Amino acid sequence: MAARAALWGDALRPREAGHVALVSQSANVAVNALSARRGLRFHTVVSSGNQAVVSAGEYVAHLAADDSVHAIALYLEEDGDAATLCEALAACAESRTPIVVLKVGASQAGASAAAAHTGALTGDQRVFRALVEDAGAVWRTTSTSCSSWPRRWR
């Protein structure tokens, strides 16, 4: 019973581990991904929150070095440390670990929502998207397109 007891919300039943990792700035997105019944089995799910201690980029770089991770999904609410993110994306390219990035805050409403949620400040998304795509990552604009992308690496 203790293994299925939830701190809040619905209890999650353990599943067989997969090969897809999720790094999310939003704990809500991470928990919803874990509880979704879309056929995804995760290797790792981590929420970096406001990145006060460890950044999303640092998590991604660590996961890119793990041979049992075959793909990474990254959900960002703020641009964060561009140098660390660039290094993480380069690590993914070097290890041939596909990565999909869903970045919220591209619209004025999205930027306001991100700021209200984690205090995230969003910059020019054209520049951020170019950085991500130049590094070989896949850019997504909706959670549905992001969640369906890594199924081939289950």
Side-chain angles (χ1 to χ4, degrees):
M1 178 65 171
R4 296 187 323 270
L7 295 176
W8 66 90
D10 297 329
L12 299 175
R13 300 215 182 264
R15 296 184 196 170
E16 181 182 342
H19 298 284
V20 177
L22 169 63
V23 177
S24 171
Q25 276 191 284
S26 169
N28 186 35
V29 168
V31 169
N32 280 307
L34 280 171
S35 63
R37 300 289 183 211
R38 293 190 173 107
L40 287 176
R41 292 179 293 121
F42 289 103
H43 176 280
T44 301
V45 175
V46 63
S47 174
S48 61
N50 66 5
Q51 306 182 90
V53 178
V54 180
S55 73
E58 290 170 304
Y59 283 118
V60 168
H62 177 77
L63 291 164
D66 187 331
D67 290 337
S68 61
V69 174
H70 297 175
I72 300 171
L74 176 61
Y75 176 89
L76 294 175
E77 293 181 347
E78 68 175 314
D79 298 350
D81 179 1
T84 301
L85 183 60
C86 286
E87 290 171 12
L89 293 173
C92 288
E94 185 175 312
S95 67
R96 296 179 166 238
T97 305
I99 182 167
V100 62
V101 177
L102 174 60
K103 172 69 173 64
V104 298
S107 68
Q108 183 59 41
S112 296
H117 180 61
T118 58
L121 299 176
T122 58
D124 187 334
Q125 296 311 293
R126 295 171 300 173
V127 173
F128 191 82
R129 181 177 183 163
L131 178 145
V132 167
E133 290 178 338
D134 188 53
V138 176
W139 180 268
R140 292 291 187 243
T141 56
T142 67
S143 59
T144 304
S145 65
C146 189
S147 65
S148 64
W149 174 82
R151 287 186 189 185
R152 66 188 102 165
W153 292 281
R154 289 185 236 191

